[in-house]
Amino acid sequence: MARHDFDPATVMPDERQAAKERLFDPLLPGPWRGHIAGELLGASNTVLAYGNGTPGEGPRLHVHPYDEIFIIVQGHARFFVGDKVIDAEAGDVVLGPKGVPHRFENLGPGRLQTIDVHLSPRWLQADI
């Protein structure tokens, strides 16, 4: 399907160049595989890789001064976002709005793997 959502002639490139950073080594153990600050790439979003193989485990309750988008790559997760509980699985995307405390946990069975996009050039977080 061809898309034409805008006129390419109206978009002027800035001075940034293509860039590459390594997010994680898939062979390393542990849930936090890595993160790339958007400022390293000259971008406005920061990317994190998270995963664990233990049902019930996940990041502690925390909050950000910007939106966070979770992409579930593998497994099943339960998200607690403010007063909402959201079950998600591979292929789903969940929004954690700025200023709303949130956490998630692996529902199992097996590994949960997410890519978390922070809509900020730096990772800013307050654990609750």
Side-chain angles (χ1 to χ4, degrees), residues 51-68:
N52 80 60
T54 306
E57 284 191 8
R60 70 182 91 189
L61 188 67
H62 62 278
V63 66
H64 307 286
Y66 48 75
D67 290 346
E68 182 175 9

Side-chain angles (χ1 to χ4, degrees), residues 9 15 20 22 32 39 42 54 56 65 81 100 106-107 113-114:
E15 298 299 317
K20 173 188 163 189
R22 184 145 176 92
W32 289 105
E39 31 189 37
T54 306
V81 183
V100 178
N106 183 348
L107 281 181
Q113 184 68 55
T114 67

Side-chain angles (χ1 to χ4, degrees), residues 94-114:
V94 175
L95 171 67
K98 72 178 179 178
V100 178
H102 57 273
R103 69 181 183 87
F104 62 92
E105 60 188 38
N106 183 348
L107 281 181
R111 184 169 182 79
L112 169 66
Q113 184 68 55
T114 67

Side-chain angles (χ1 to χ4, degrees), residues 27-46:
L27 301 179
L28 290 179
W32 289 105
R33 295 287 181 90
H35 78 279
I36 299 295
E39 31 189 37
L40 286 177
L41 296 171
S44 58
N45 298 318
T46 294

Side-chain angles (χ1 to χ4, degrees), residues 3 78 123:
R3 294 186 59 167
R78 176 162 291 149
W123 181 8

